[in-house]
Amino acid sequence: MPFLLAYSMGDSPAGPEGSEAAVRALLTNNGLTVGTTVHDGSRHPSFPVSLLVEAGQAVVTMPLLNAQCQVPPEWLEAADARGSAYFIFTTRPWPTAPPGQPVAEGELEKFAGAEETLTAAAHCILPIRKIRG
């Protein structure tokens, strides 16, 4: 299952607690719950989060937020095979992961798999969208 993880750096002027509150408000204002519910974007035509995959890039869009990252070939293959990806947006800040830089696999597993990361997150299945040519 291809997945994407979104998080804040906890570097808002209000500190990590302010960053956590801002992410929680963004998720709540878009109708996403934080916890164990998995939202299935394919079942709701007006789902507030979308995923575009094109030219080796994954672009997640929701009101007030766009995030883009390069994804490896094996991620693209899995996404094409499934037609969807698992998106986790956690309110838990991850201040040691530099934006746009690769993270060691062990460090990613430790953060992404931590109970406090997962229970503080919105979980979504997002259908893959592509640019029509």
Side-chain angles (χ1 to χ4, degrees), residues 15 18 73 75 81 112:
W75 190 97

Side-chain angles (χ1 to χ4, degrees), residues 1 3 30 32-33 36 47 49 54 56 67 70 75-77 89-90 109 117 125 129:
M1 169 67 94
F3 80 95
N30 283 291
L32 302 175
T33 56
T36 58
F47 196 69
V49 185
E54 199 66 44
Q70 189 167 347
W75 190 97
L76 292 168
E77 289 173 22
F89 195 160
T90 187
E109 288 175 359
T117 299
I125 303 291
R129 295 193 169 103

Side-chain angles (χ1 to χ4, degrees), residues 56-108:
Q57 301 283 313
V59 182
V60 176
T61 303
M62 61 189 303
L64 303 177
L65 179 78
N66 287 328
Q68 180 176 340
C69 66
Q70 189 167 347
V71 289
E74 57 272 14
W75 190 97
L76 292 168
E77 289 173 22
D80 281 342
R82 293 189 71 92
S84 62
Y86 197 92
F87 176 61
I88 303 165
F89 195 160
T90 187
T91 64
R92 182 179 179 217
W94 192 9
T96 60
Q101 300 298 313
V103 175
E105 189 172 334
E107 189 177 358
L108 173 63

